């Protein structure tokens, strides 16, 4: 499924000038707490862009402003060519947000849920094709509660794709997954980018960011303290003279785990 040349709604496609997201001077406070402190960045179309940072750094607040779920105090955010403050509803039609699977109704099967999500966008979807896209076609008649953790995450991505979004937001998509399921989800994210979509990803896993992201923004205390491709960030650190104290091991426990249990997905 690739991005079409015209929006299903019949509206003209907004001009993006090659940027899926443009943020300028974005700021958000909660009382005296400055959660997002005047940040600026741009995400290119078809980029996988990571937002990293310790707990409380301001990642969720930033992403939720971009999704039109929270209002910034000041600054400007343009997503898929639309000013989020001026037209939050229009932005919501152009983005996909991965929800936590536990929130899904348990009395509907996967096909019925996708049809329901599509109806919210006044669209019709080929639910089976969408399930095939996320490698869940054989679970079409199953309920979400019967899915494994990895399958739930893939299904939640399928729901976020029903409106053929130009920008997909993934919030810690592999938390709690086994190594095989994590790798499977990385491949899915790469495939979605191949379809022509832009992905914004928050994660606490540095290996995930290094594998998936073209560029990452590192946030701390509401500010972006670094923004570069992962390889450039590592080179910069080495150029400053950083050396690991211990000699790098040639294998780690994850390598042992994958060697013992294989790369095949384990899903009932
Ligand atoms: P995590 O990695 O834990 O998800 P985060 O980087 O996503 O953290 P945010 O959730 O954006 O961080 O929070 C940034 C700061 O704003 C934190 O200090 C948090 O306690 C505070 N905060 C977030 N939402 C609210 C709110 N609705 N009301 C008050 N303070 C909030």
């Amino acid at each position: 499924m690739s991005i079409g040349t015209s929006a299903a709604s019949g509206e003209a496609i907004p001009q993006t000038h090659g940027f899926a997201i443009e943020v300028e001077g974005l700021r958000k406070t909660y009382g005296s707490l400055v959660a997002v402190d005047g940040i600026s960045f741009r995400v290119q179309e078809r980029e996988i862009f990571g937002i990293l940072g310790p707990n409380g750094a301001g990642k969720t607040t930033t992403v939720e402003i971009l999704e039109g779920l929270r209002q910034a105090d000041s600054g400007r955010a343009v997503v898929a060519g639309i000013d989020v403050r001026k037209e939050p509803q229009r932005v919501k039609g152009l983005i996909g947000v991965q929800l936590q699977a536990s929130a899904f109704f348990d009395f509907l099967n996967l096909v019925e849920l996708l049809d329901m999500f599509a109806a919210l966008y006044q669209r019709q979807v080929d639910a089976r094709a969408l399930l095939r896209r996320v490698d869940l076609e054989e679970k079409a008649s199953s309920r979400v509660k019967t899915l494994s953790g990895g399958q739930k995450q893939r299904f939640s991505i399928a729901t976020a794709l029903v409106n053929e979004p130009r920008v997909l937001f993934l919030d810690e998509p592999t938390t709690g997954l086994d190594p095989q399921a994590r790798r499977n989800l990385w491949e899915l994210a790469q495939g979605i980018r191949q379809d022509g979509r832009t992905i914004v990803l928050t994660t606490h896993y540095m290996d995930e960011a290094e594998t998936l992201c073209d560029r990452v923004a590192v946030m701390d205390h509401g500010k972006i303290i670094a923004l570069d491709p992962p390889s450039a960030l590592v080179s910069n650190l080495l150029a400053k003279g950083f050396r690991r104290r211990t000699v790098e091991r040639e294998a780690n426990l994850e390598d042992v785990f994958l060697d013992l249990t294989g790369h095949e997905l384990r899903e009932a």
Side-chain angles (χ1 to χ4, degrees):
M1 191 171 52
S2 60
I3 294 182
T5 49
S6 64
S9 61
E11 284 183 42
I13 291 185
Q15 285 299 310
T16 61
H17 311 292
F19 294 108
I21 295 174
E22 292 178 89
V23 170
E24 270 173 42
L26 206 66
R27 184 178 159 90
K28 173 79 179 174
T29 54
Y30 301 108
S32 60
L33 181 100
V34 184
V36 176
D37 195 0
I39 61 172
S40 303
F41 63 96
R42 288 171 170 184
V43 178
Q44 286 159 25
E45 284 182 348
R46 295 175 176 235
E47 195 170 21
I48 302 184
F49 187 85
I51 304 183
L52 312 179
N55 294 131
K59 305 179 296 292
T60 306
T61 304
T62 302
V63 166
E64 290 190 354
I65 292 169
L66 299 178
E67 294 168 350
L69 298 175
R70 298 193 203 195
Q71 265 220 6
D73 299 340
S74 55
R76 183 162 170 267
V78 177
V79 176
I82 307 291
D83 188 314
V84 181
R85 182 190 288 273
K86 290 184 188 151
E87 299 183 86
Q89 285 309 324
R90 200 158 163 226
V91 168
K92 283 174 190 153
L94 294 169
I95 64 170
V97 178
Q98 182 197 14
L99 301 170
Q100 291 309 310
S102 56
F104 296 137
F105 302 116
D106 265 338
F107 52 88
L108 297 176
N109 68 34
L110 301 195
V111 167
E112 292 164 341
L113 280 169
L114 289 176
D115 286 339
M116 187 191 76
F117 272 88
L120 295 176
Y121 289 99
Q122 281 139 15
R123 279 174 176 254
Q124 289 200 323
V125 281
D126 182 344
R128 282 184 186 270
L130 204 44
L131 289 175
R132 199 176 316 128
R133 183 76 191 79
V134 299
D135 204 9
L136 280 178
E137 202 180 6
E138 65 206 41
K139 295 284 177 183
S141 311
S142 302
R143 303 280 193 269
V144 170
K145 66 180 170 195
T146 67
L147 302 180
S148 71
Q151 289 171 333
K152 280 182 183 152
Q153 291 291 52
R154 296 208 302 278
F155 180 67
S156 71
I157 289 176
T159 65
L161 292 174
V162 291
N163 61 329
E164 299 193 28
R166 300 183 64 175
V167 184
L168 177 65
F169 291 92
L170 303 179
D171 184 17
E172 300 184 29
T174 64
T175 297
L177 301 190
D178 69 36
Q180 288 91 349
R182 291 181 72 211
R183 280 166 171 66
N184 178 263
L185 210 112
W186 293 350
E187 282 168 22
L188 175 59
Q190 282 158 338
I192 289 168
R193 180 255 286 282
Q194 288 292 113
D195 292 341
R197 302 181 206 289
T198 305
I199 296 180
V200 175
L201 169 96
T202 62
T203 182
H204 287 296
Y205 298 124
M206 297 304 121
D207 60 336
E208 180 159 297
E210 217 165 341
T211 304
L212 275 185
C213 296
D214 301 302
R215 291 186 305 147
V216 297
V218 182
M219 287 190 76
D220 201 11
H221 303 297
K223 291 186 190 295
I224 293 178
I225 54 173
L227 198 168
D228 253 322
S231 57
L233 292 171
V234 171
S235 299
N236 292 346
L237 180 65
L238 292 173
K240 284 198 309 188
F242 174 89
R243 293 291 177 270
R244 278 195 182 165
R245 281 200 198 91
T246 51
V247 176
E248 171 126 37
R249 289 184 297 168
E250 285 171 3
N252 62 19
L253 188 57
E254 178 153 324
D255 298 317
V256 174
F257 184 95
L258 288 168
D259 180 60
L260 291 171
T261 62
H263 284 78
E264 287 289 298
L265 261 185
R266 303 303 172 75
E267 291 172 340

